[in-house]
Amino acid sequence: MPKLGMEPIRKEALVKATIVEIGRAGSLDVTVSQIAKRAGMSSALAHHYFGSKEGIFLAAMRHIMTLYGAEVRGALATAVGPQGRVRAILIASFSPGNFRREAVSAWLNFWVLAQSVPEAKRLLAVYQGRLASNLTVALRPMAGSRAPAIAQSLGALIDGLYLREVLKSGPPDGDAAVALALRHLEAELQRRADDAC
């Protein structure tokens, strides 16, 4: 009979092992057996908890999104002013915890999975909606009615920088990614100022 309270610990170990294995392989081409072995348990137990490799992967993405959401909320809580709020979202998006090789690989594979798996598509829509909402609220005082369009372009830029990171070698450079996104924001705000003249 299993010990009480072991299920959450084992599930967390499997989720973390999934992220590491996807990062190692660079794709979803990993087996439940590899994931379970890394977590120190049997593949039967992994199937028992999640039902399938897809279920384990969706749980891993929920974990990644939960960590990302907590980091964004924390950054926003200390941000000062609209520009500080946008900067906080960008810094959280490219922080060492979120912009690490394993998480970037998981995101890339998640976008692929969302094309064919309804639950993955729904999770991706939730993430994109929250990101767009947070950015729009932060941008509204600076960009007025153009805030939603700028928020969409920043969201696309974030996704694009994650995609480019997968194709690079070496450690991720979150500072360079934030700087690029801020340059894009400055160009968009300048365009708005030029249009107002």
Side-chain angles (χ1 to χ4, degrees):
M1 186 160 163
K3 295 179 185 176
L4 293 176
M6 287 304 293
E7 182 175 341
I9 294 167
R10 288 180 178 148
K11 281 184 171 182
E12 183 178 354
L14 285 165
V15 162
K16 289 179 178 177
T18 301
I19 295 166
V20 170
E21 283 297 311
I22 290 169
R24 182 194 56 75
S27 72
L28 291 177
D29 192 23
V30 296
T31 65
V32 173
S33 178
Q34 289 169 309
I35 293 167
K37 183 177 179 181
R38 180 167 295 276
M41 60 191 79
S42 71
S43 57
L45 196 54
H47 278 290
H48 170 73
Y49 288 137
F50 294 103
S52 65
K53 183 171 80 169
E54 183 180 288
I56 296 171
F57 185 65
L58 289 172
M61 284 312 301
R62 283 188 201 95
H63 175 76
I64 287 170
M65 288 181 183
T66 298
L67 295 176
Y68 171 73
E71 193 155 348
V72 169
R73 285 188 301 279
L76 287 173
T78 60
V80 178
Q83 195 155 7
R85 291 179 65 79
V86 175
R87 181 183 271 287
I89 294 166
L90 293 173
I91 289 171
S93 295
F94 299 109
S95 72
N98 292 314
F99 201 52
R100 66 187 195 281
R101 183 70 54 206
E102 296 87 4
V104 171
S105 291
W107 274 105
L108 177 65
N109 288 286
F110 182 56
W111 291 319
V112 172
L113 193 66
Q115 294 179 53
S116 59
V117 176
E119 179 61 13
K121 187 174 185 173
R122 186 193 71 75
L123 276 176
L124 184 58
V126 168
Y127 156 75
Q128 289 173 332
R130 286 181 184 160
L131 178 62
S133 176
N134 283 333
L135 287 168
T136 299
V137 167
L139 288 163
R140 185 122 15 233
M142 297 181 290
S145 64
R146 290 197 58 237
I150 296 172
Q152 288 298 322
S153 70
L154 278 173
L157 182 60
I158 291 167
D159 291 346
L161 289 168
Y162 268 69
L163 178 60
R164 280 188 169 192
E165 192 57 44
V166 169
L167 304 173
K168 286 177 27 184
S169 60
D173 189 348
D175 292 338
V178 170
L180 180 65
L182 288 172
R183 284 196 302 274
H184 171 74
L185 174 60
E186 288 169 18
E188 285 289 338
L189 294 174
Q190 183 60 48
R191 194 172 124 210
R192 178 177 185 252
D194 293 345
D195 290 347
C197 292

